[in-house]
Amino acid sequence: MNFFSRTLYAGLATLALAPAAHADFAVNPNLLRDIRPIRPQLVACADLQMSVSTQVVNGVIRITTRMRNGGIGAYTSDPSQQRVVLTQNGSPLETYGFSSLASGDQRVWLAQVPMSDHTMHFRAEIQFDPSVATDGNSHNTDCNASNNSAIARVN
């Protein structure tokens, strides 16, 4: 709760608890229980979210990589500034390019590899060019980098 929220809440509580002192500003105390601080999002930014899943069919592992924009802003950038990399046991398997993704939309990429006797780990990760941080484009900022990769395992 920031200073403004605390001050507003304290002021409303004072009015509710001492209505006789402030008769012109009486507040119903029952309304105070539902007051919550408002946290406006100042920038309509993207939230690129990765997921990866696998399915084994007839000795072939099908890998589905999804990237969804869960933010309230569209992601728009130069095609050379980002990519999704799918790795198998740490080695690059596929690279997918993209340059834009509207709020709420998703991209889906498919890959497949033969089944193995060994455990396989698949990781999908968004990789950004360092220029994204300095290009001045507010539309290619990802507000939540903690969900920019995903892992799936096949035994």
Side-chain angles (χ1 to χ4, degrees), residues 4-66:
F4 178 75
S5 297
R6 282 194 310 265
T7 304
L8 177 63
Y9 187 83
L12 289 173
T14 301
L15 290 172
L17 297 175
H22 304 285
D24 293 337
F25 302 102
V27 175
N28 181 345
N30 293 329
L31 296 177
L32 291 178
R33 63 184 158 80
D34 294 328
I35 293 178
R36 290 178 180 60
I38 298 171
R39 299 176 195 266
Q41 188 159 356
L42 300 177
V43 178
C45 61
D47 179 11
L48 302 180
Q49 306 163 352
M50 293 301 304
S51 67
V52 62
S53 59
T54 59
Q55 180 183 24
V56 179
V57 178
N58 297 328
V60 174
I61 303 171
R62 295 181 181 169
I63 307 113
T64 303
T65 303
R66 284 185 174 81

